[in-house]
């Protein structure tokens, strides 16, 4: 039995559960142990030298780990593209987010705004700077703690308008997903897998990633609100 230890961000936690099941069904001699934590924490643990075989994070985070020799150069496999969605508490009126101007107006009128510590939160903050509204809304911003879904804060009434990867919004009770960001300001993150520098199972990891990148997994990715990269 080959055991692969994988660490990922929360954005791909639910997806990985299904991808692992698909892979082990056709590779029964492989056991895949997945740990999903906040993306920043995952990268820090890999950088600290903790032993993993596979790392699945946003592609730019993988590239940084390649540059610091914590994952193997040339082993990155782009697996999914994930878009950011907007959600409100269940029963609340859905704001118009059909255009950039409408989205900006909805943000300016929202009582509280929720975002994550992940790549979507970083990109969202940049967009607020571009619009010139960052200072205007900073006191209304609520950042979810690592590993806590923004949808949970929305459902609890702590956030009136929340932003996070669609994959992390799906299935959260107590919220209504309004839709994705409008054309021109979409936030799309590519999540990639790579072989950790500490791995002694490089070939097994590469075989697994190749399967996950194949057409056999395309429908599973769509079901989780993502598309094949």
């Amino acid at each position: 039995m080959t055991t692969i230890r994988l660490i990922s961000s929360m954005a791909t936690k639910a997806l990985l559960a299904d991808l692992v099941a698909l892979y082990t069904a056709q590779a029964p001699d492989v056991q895949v142990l997945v740990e999903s934590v906040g993306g920043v924490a995952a990268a820090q643990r890999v950088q600290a030298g903790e032993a993993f075989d596979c790392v699945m994070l946003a592609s730019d985070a993988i590239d940084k780990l390649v540059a610091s020799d914590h994952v193997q150069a040339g082993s990155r496999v782009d697996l999914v593209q994930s878009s950011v969605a907007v959600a409100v508490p269940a029963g609340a009126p859905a704001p118009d987010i059909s255009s950039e101007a409408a989205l900006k107006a909805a943000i300016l009128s929202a009582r509280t705004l929720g975002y994550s510590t992940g790549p979507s939160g970083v990109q969202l903050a940049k967009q607020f700077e571009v619009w010139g509204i960052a200072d205007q809304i900073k006191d209304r911003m609520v950042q979810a703690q690592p590993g806590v879904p923004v949808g949970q804060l929305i459902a609890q009434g702590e956030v009136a308008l929340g932003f996070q990867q669609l994959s992390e919004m799906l299935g959260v009770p107590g919220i209504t997903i309004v839709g994705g960001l409008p054309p021109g300001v979409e936030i799309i993150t590519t999540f990639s897998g790579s072989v950790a520098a500490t791995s002694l199972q490089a070939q097994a990891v590469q075989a697994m990633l190749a399967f996950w990148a194949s057409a056999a997994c395309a429908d599973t990715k769509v079901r989780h609100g993502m598309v094949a990269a």
Side-chain angles (χ1 to χ4, degrees), residues 2-19:
T2 297
T3 299
I4 294 174
R5 285 195 67 208
L6 185 157
I7 190 166
S8 80
S9 61
M10 295 300 292
T12 55
K13 180 179 180 178
L15 170 67
L16 280 170
D18 284 351
L19 290 182

Side-chain angles (χ1 to χ4, degrees), residues 168-181:
E168 294 183 80
M169 293 283 200
L170 290 174
V172 176
I175 72 171
T176 297
I177 297 174
V178 181
L181 299 181

Side-chain angles (χ1 to χ4, degrees), residues 58-69 71 76 78 192 194:
S59 58
D60 60 341
I62 291 290
D63 289 345
K64 289 176 183 176
L65 291 173
V66 169
S68 61
D69 296 325
V71 301
R76 177 182 137 185
D78 295 341
S192 310
S194 193

Side-chain angles (χ1 to χ4, degrees), residues 136-212:
Q136 191 175 345
I137 63 174
K138 65 181 180 181
D139 292 337
R140 290 182 275 145
M141 298 293 292
V142 179
Q143 187 174 49
Q145 293 299 308
V148 176
V150 173
Q152 181 178 317
L153 302 183
I154 298 170
Q156 292 170 347
E158 296 178 44
V159 166
L161 190 68
F163 301 81
Q164 198 165 24
Q165 307 286 345
L166 174 60
S167 62
E168 294 183 80
M169 293 283 200
L170 290 174
V172 176
I175 72 171
T176 297
I177 297 174
V178 181
L181 299 181
V185 291
E186 306 101 322
I187 296 176
I188 299 174
T189 301
T190 298
F191 288 94
S192 310
S194 193
V195 180
T198 53
S199 178
L200 301 177
Q201 311 282 356
Q203 286 187 318
V205 173
Q206 288 166 343
M208 179 182 70
L209 292 176
F211 176 78
W212 286 351

Side-chain angles (χ1 to χ4, degrees), residues 106-150:
I107 289 168
L108 287 172
S109 64
R111 176 178 52 83
T112 46
L113 300 155
Y115 68 114
S116 76
T117 57
S120 64
V122 173
Q123 290 300 313
L124 197 65
K126 289 179 180 177
Q127 185 60 56
F128 295 158
E129 292 283 355
V130 170
W131 282 339
I133 64 172
D135 287 341
Q136 191 175 345
I137 63 174
K138 65 181 180 181
D139 292 337
R140 290 182 275 145
M141 298 293 292
V142 179
Q143 187 174 49
Q145 293 299 308
V148 176
V150 173

